[in-house]
Amino acid sequence: MNEEIAFWMLSAIAVLGALVAVRKRNLIHGVFALMVFFAGLAGLFLLLLAEFIAAAQILVYIGAVGILLLFAIMLTERVAGDDGRRMTSRGWFWGLVAAVAVFVVLLLPPIQQFPSPEHARAIEPSVKELGEKLMHPYVVTLEVLALLLTAALIGAVTAAQGVRMPKEEDSPE
Amino acid sequence: MSPDLVRDILIATVPLMVIFPTLFAFTTWLERKALARIQNRIGPNKVGVPLTRYGGRFSLFGLGQPLADGIKMLFKENIVPRDADRLFHLLAPILALIPAMLVLCFLPIEFPWTESLLPVQAFLLDGAVIFFFAITGLNTLAIFMAGWASRNKYSLLGGMRAIAQMVSYEIPLVLSAVVVVMMVGSLNAAEIANAQAGWNWFVFTPWGLAAFVIFFIASLAETNRSPFDLPEAESEIIAGYFTEYSGFKFALFFLGEYIAMFAISGLAVTLFLGGGAGPGIATLPWLSAMWFIAKIFALIAVMIWLRGTLPRLRVDQLMGFAWKFLLPLSILNILVAGFAHFIPQENIVSKVAVWVVSLGILYMAAKGLNQLNRPNVRPRDYKYAE
Amino acid sequence: MSLLGGGILKGMAVTLRNFVGSYFDRDRLTTNDYAWRAGDSLPQHAGEYPKEEGEQLRDTTTVSQYSRNFPMLLHDEGEAMDTIRCVACQICERECPPQCIYIEKSTEKMERGGNKAQFYPAKFDIDVSVCMSCQICVEVCPFDAIVMNSQFELSTSNRFGGLLLRRDDLLKSNGYYHKIHPEEAAARDRRMAEEKAAKEAKKKAAAEAARKKAEEKAKAEAEADDKKQEDTQ
């Protein structure tokens, strides 16, 4: 019973957040609404006892992606679009088609294969298990991913450094 | 909801929500007093209990000052700039307080309130440490929100500085905590604290000591404490994102900041200073929580001491310090910890050897990094003067 | 090679020494609890505030004579407005960096102390919420009419205008000035007396010279007259 109340509340928060994020023309408001959606999603994960994924959701999506979005928006010129103007786009029909297509192709198969609640309870995902899985069977994958991220990091640093002009070299930084 | 569940929730969370804000009031007084004494002043000493004007002469070293400040804050006018985003301006201080309060629940403070619930700890999660870092990061959003909603260039500058700083310092903060997580093999805060029972605190190991120092420095930056208080630099950007806040909203920000200080000090205590470990906890169940809070206050005292000592960093120094010094050092420390873990430490000789070698490597690395990052400053060339 | 972070430790040692020292060594304290007086071992009269609005605080005589806060206007012995030194020349108004002084000149001149009749300020307001206590107005005043007060308890419950001091709030007697800044007031009085004496001497000399000149002229004229007379004769 408690779980159900929590589920509906969190779902409502997430859906509302997502709706506001799409509808708001003010970008900053939109980003914060998106974060509300992420937070609601994290709460749903927590409800499913997937606490590590919940933490990752907060850490990565709210903490990193959200901040990145904010930074990007701060660098754009017109942040606050007027909220009063109506959306005039005619693309909503195709948008709906795309949404249904995504639902059918990507989400329907896993939903049909959901384990029964009794079976799900038996799985009991825990951080410990997750860690052991990462460190034993999937350690190579993890390392390759780490290498990829390191390469990306180094690439970002190189890109951020820019082309060094010969003149600048002797100027003290 | 069942009454038992409600009772458990209340017992677990209400004390935290009462104790720490009370300690906050005391800490503001302590900070003002200590800073005053460092500057050879007296500090607040007039407001006592009852207020001195009405007969009583018990000034009690000015301990009534936080109370008077609080009342003043409550009654002050709430000023919102005309062009501000009113909703976000209101939400920002609330959003600043919530994550700070929330992360307190992850600290393994053991309050033995009832016989059956002995000991009570708010959230017993396996991933407590990672949750702690995830939720602390939300504080950044509140600061950005405040800076953006105020419609003030200084506020916005403060907000941008805060984001850049907190995102940068989160990395050494997490990496220095990773060492402990690696050694204990758990992300559970209570398990980490229990692993240090007795005097086996991690700060008494070479890698733990280094990680503790890095963690403490990064936590100073994470809570915007001096010398990393650039986002709220009064002399540069008039208190940054606080600029347009007054009255109770300001008080909420202030409260959130101090609660975040308590929380991050509490995590440092959990990770490195043995949690609630200390003499006498076996006989008196209350002593564990007392020890925990006492250790938090020891760290807070050092923070105040540093605030009275160090001048503020420059923005480029701040960023350089995080990325070019703390980050490589904390990564090296993980390696050193692995090395120290696999060397057998049976007798005193091998223990001393591990200490000397580990700290030697870390110190030399720090020295080298320091040398590498030395600013390229030459004596000035004068073209016309001799 | 110096110890890494040694500078921070050294700084911390300094602040620690100050922290501990301030509890044992009273001379270290750079500020005094203003209800204390030198030599008192315990805070006395803590909480004794003036009961009536506008009452001059006892405290202004207990703070150091070298302290200064906001400007005040001086008048000599006698009725305040009759002996006000300010002649509304508005030099201070123009020099004030934060522009916190507002002066309105009177329409007619007023004679005071036997001097030449001069204007007087019909309005002289200082917004002490703007004033930065720089003392520039004092330095530029040619009439020694504006000096610094040391009264510091100015808190008011009126946000709008409560800190705007009017001419009559600012007017203080020279005797009060002597009480709060004895050395400075004595030096100023001495200098003023010297200047006055010099001025008078100059005046006297000028008068003498004028008289001499007039005499000479008269003499010359007389001689010329004599000559004329002689010529006509």
Side-chain angles (χ1 to χ4, degrees):
Chain A
M1 185 59 197
N2 291 333
E3 285 173 16
E4 243 169 64
I5 295 170
F7 171 77
W8 286 112
M9 276 168 67
L10 287 168
S11 309
I13 289 171
V15 169
L16 272 179
L19 276 179
V20 172
V22 174
R23 295 293 298 180
K24 275 274 178 183
R25 291 191 75 88
N26 185 324
L27 283 175
I28 299 266
H29 287 180
V31 169
F32 275 102
L34 193 67
M35 284 176 199
V36 170
F37 162 70
F38 286 148
L41 213 56
L44 285 175
F45 280 132
L46 208 55
L47 206 60
L48 292 171
L49 294 177
E51 50 182 73
F52 188 81
I53 301 177
Q57 175 80 18
I58 297 173
L59 198 64
V60 175
Y61 281 92
I62 302 182
V65 173
I67 302 261
L68 192 71
L69 283 174
L70 283 178
F71 256 109
I73 288 168
M74 290 317 296
L75 297 177
T76 59
E77 260 183 49
R78 281 199 44 172
V79 172
D82 45 292
D83 276 329
R85 214 173 55 183
R86 282 202 47 163
M87 292 268 202
T88 49
S89 167
R90 295 269 176 89
W92 63 269
F93 174 74
W94 294 109
L96 199 66
V97 170
V100 171
V102 165
F103 183 74
V104 170
V105 174
L106 289 181
L107 295 178
L108 216 50
I111 286 174
Q112 281 170 342
Q113 287 169 19
F114 261 2
S116 63
E118 291 77 38
H119 186 62
R121 219 153 270 150
I123 296 175
E124 271 194 60
S126 73
V127 180
K128 201 179 175 71
E129 205 173 315
L130 207 65
E132 273 167 9
K133 280 267 160 60
L134 271 180
M135 278 300 143
H136 292 302
Y138 299 113
V139 68
V140 178
T141 328
L142 187 75
E143 287 303 315
V144 169
L145 270 177
L147 204 65
L148 185 72
L149 285 178
T150 314
L153 204 65
I154 292 170
V157 169
T158 325
Q161 216 166 26
V163 185
R164 191 168 276 208
M165 294 293 169
K167 242 187 187 175
E168 279 180 357
E169 225 149 63
D170 53 357
S171 69
E173 278 173 59
Chain B
M1 284 205 248
S2 61
D4 265 7
L5 186 64
V6 173
R7 190 199 62 173
D8 287 0
I9 290 172
L10 288 183
I11 286 177
T13 53
V14 168
L16 293 175
M17 303 298 117
V18 172
I19 289 173
F20 281 98
T22 314
L23 288 178
F24 151 74
F26 175 65
T27 312
T28 54
W29 172 84
L30 194 73
E31 176 149 21
R32 288 174 68 177
K33 272 299 216 198
L35 285 180
R37 285 294 172 175
I38 281 173
Q39 295 159 4
N40 287 323
R41 293 184 288 112
I42 296 167
N45 64 346
K46 282 281 184 285
V47 188
V49 184
L51 302 177
T52 38
R53 179 155 184 178
Y54 301 102
R57 289 281 169 85
F58 306 104
S59 60
L60 283 181
F61 316 106
L63 257 175
Q65 188 71 44
L67 193 70
D69 282 345
I71 293 169
K72 182 198 78 173
M73 288 283 197
L74 273 171
F75 285 103
K76 261 177 114 169
E77 188 181 350
N78 171 31
I79 298 168
V80 183
R82 193 189 60 210
D83 284 341
D85 193 315
R86 297 189 80 90
L87 177 68
F88 275 25
H89 196 264
L90 172 71
L91 282 181
I94 300 168
L95 189 63
L97 187 57
I98 289 173
M101 285 286 203
L102 203 55
V103 290
L104 282 179
C105 301
F106 294 113
L107 298 179
I109 309 179
E110 296 172 346
F111 293 111
W113 295 112
T114 57
E115 290 291 321
S116 59
L117 279 165
L118 192 110
V120 171
Q121 180 199 327
F123 291 176
L124 272 165
L125 280 177
D126 270 350
V129 173
I130 203 163
F131 256 100
F132 191 98
F133 288 125
I135 293 175
T136 324
L138 298 188
N139 213 358
T140 327
L141 288 179
I143 290 173
F144 179 85
M145 212 180 201
W148 183 79
S150 295
R151 265 305 164 102
N152 175 324
K153 51 179 171 277
Y154 296 109
S155 298
L156 193 59
L157 272 177
M160 296 297 272
R161 278 186 181 192
I163 293 191
Q165 173 179 333
M166 290 169 111
V167 167
S168 304
Y169 277 87
E170 216 161 61
I171 300 165
L173 190 78
V174 173
L175 282 180
S176 54
V178 157
V179 180
V180 171
V181 172
M182 195 171 86
M183 289 315 212
V184 178
S186 171
L187 283 166
N188 189 325
E191 258 177 55
I192 290 173
N194 290 337
Q196 308 172 63
W199 287 99
N200 298 319
W201 301 3
F202 287 136
V203 75
F204 298 138
T205 57
W207 45 270
L209 183 62
F212 175 65
V213 172
I214 295 169
F215 188 94
F216 187 71
I217 293 171
S219 70
L220 284 179
E222 199 68 7
T223 49
N224 297 331
R225 289 288 299 183
S226 177
F228 304 107
D229 54 348
L230 283 97
E232 44 197 86
E234 294 87 352
S235 50
E236 298 166 21
I237 49 174
I238 5 176
Y241 52 94
F242 287 160
T243 307
E244 300 292 354
Y245 280 90
S246 62
F248 199 58
K249 287 181 184 171
F250 177 76
L252 278 185
F253 258 125
F254 209 49
L255 176 62
E257 195 160 285
Y258 274 79
I259 298 283
M261 261 165 71
F262 289 134
I264 211 139
S265 303
L267 188 65
V269 169
T270 310
L271 291 175
F272 302 105
L273 300 180
I281 52 167
T283 47
L284 293 166
W286 270 105
L287 224 50
S288 174
M290 295 295 126
W291 274 117
F292 201 101
I293 289 170
K295 286 172 190 175
I296 287 181
F297 263 92
L299 289 182
I300 298 275
V302 178
M303 285 182 173
I304 295 171
W305 186 5
L306 280 171
R307 181 174 170 193
T309 305
L310 297 178
R312 189 179 299 131
L313 265 70
R314 232 168 39 210
V315 178
D316 61 325
Q317 289 171 337
L318 177 92
M319 284 305 178
F321 189 62
W323 291 102
K324 297 181 192 165
F325 188 83
L326 286 184
L327 180 62
L329 212 59
S330 50
I331 290 174
L332 182 72
N333 190 36
I334 294 177
L335 294 178
V336 168
F339 150 81
H341 185 64
F342 286 111
I343 302 282
Q345 300 180 41
E346 274 106 32
N347 51 8
I348 198 94
V349 179
S350 62
K351 266 188 184 166
V352 170
V354 166
W355 264 94
V356 169
V357 172
S358 313
L359 281 191
I361 290 173
L362 285 166
Y363 184 76
M364 290 318 287
K367 260 303 205 200
L369 284 170
N370 190 32
Q371 205 66 35
L372 267 178
N373 294 332
R374 202 156 280 268
N376 182 16
V377 180
R378 291 169 302 162
R380 195 189 170 94
D381 294 329
Y382 290 103
K383 252 184 199 165
Y384 306 108
E386 279 179 330
Chain C
M1 268 168 94
S2 58
L3 183 72
L4 195 68
I8 295 174
L9 294 181
K10 213 195 261 172
M12 288 175 84
V14 170
T15 44
L16 184 65
R17 213 176 307 129
N18 277 316
F19 179 83
V20 177
S22 69
Y23 280 101
F24 294 104
D25 186 1
R26 180 63 69 79
D27 293 338
R28 269 179 178 274
L29 293 179
T30 51
T31 57
N32 272 319
D33 198 340
Y34 72 87
W36 290 2
R37 294 209 202 100
D40 282 355
S41 54
L42 282 169
Q44 293 201 338
H45 317 296
E48 267 186 30
Y49 290 90
K51 301 287 182 294
E52 282 170 37
E53 210 175 309
E55 187 182 336
Q56 179 59 52
L57 280 173
R58 170 186 51 78
D59 310 313
T60 46
T61 57
T62 62
V63 296
S64 158
Q65 62 158 317
Y66 306 111
S67 82
R68 67 172 196 238
N69 211 359
F70 296 119
M72 61 179 179
L73 286 174
L74 279 186
H75 68 82
D76 294 316
E77 302 308 314
E79 195 63 36
M81 265 321 287
D82 293 344
T83 56
I84 183 169
R85 288 184 185 174
C86 178
V87 300
C89 69
Q90 293 175 310
I91 291 177
C92 51
E93 186 185 16
R94 261 171 277 157
E95 290 290 345
C96 179
Q99 305 190 339
C100 65
I101 304 179
Y102 175 75
I103 301 174
E104 225 166 71
K105 218 182 233 186
S106 60
T107 46
E108 76 276 5
K109 293 186 178 181
M110 177 181 81
E111 200 171 305
R112 54 203 120 173
N115 288 328
K116 203 169 73 182
Q118 284 279 15
F119 293 108
Y120 61 93
K123 259 190 188 171
F124 196 114
D125 302 340
I126 294 181
D127 191 344
V128 292
S129 64
V130 176
C131 176
M132 61 183 202
S133 313
C134 65
Q135 214 178 345
I136 284 177
C137 51
V138 177
E139 278 159 24
V140 299
C141 183
F143 299 95
D144 299 284
I146 190 165
V147 291
M148 300 305 276
N149 199 346
S150 57
Q151 183 182 355
F152 54 85
E153 189 119 7
L154 294 156
S155 61
T156 164
S157 53
N158 178 8
R159 182 156 61 126
F160 303 104
L163 289 172
L164 184 68
L165 297 188
R166 304 285 182 186
R167 183 189 66 191
D168 297 336
D169 306 327
L170 292 166
L171 265 174
K172 295 275 160 23
S173 71
N174 199 21
Y176 171 77
Y177 181 41
H178 272 274
K179 205 170 93 192
I180 60 169
H181 300 313
E183 280 182 22
E184 190 190 311
R188 190 178 291 273
D189 275 5
R190 211 176 310 121
R191 210 197 62 233
M192 278 172 74
E194 273 167 20
E195 273 172 14
K196 204 175 174 188
K199 212 170 165 187
E200 248 153 43
K202 210 174 156 194
K203 220 173 175 180
K204 226 176 186 175
E208 190 80 358
R211 199 170 51 81
K212 259 186 188 157
K213 215 172 174 185
E215 265 175 18
E216 269 168 26
K217 205 177 171 189
K219 215 173 170 184
E221 269 174 15
E223 275 171 11
D225 280 356
D226 285 350
K227 222 173 179 184
K228 243 184 194 168
Q229 271 181 3
E230 271 169 28
D231 285 348
T232 51
Q233 272 178 356

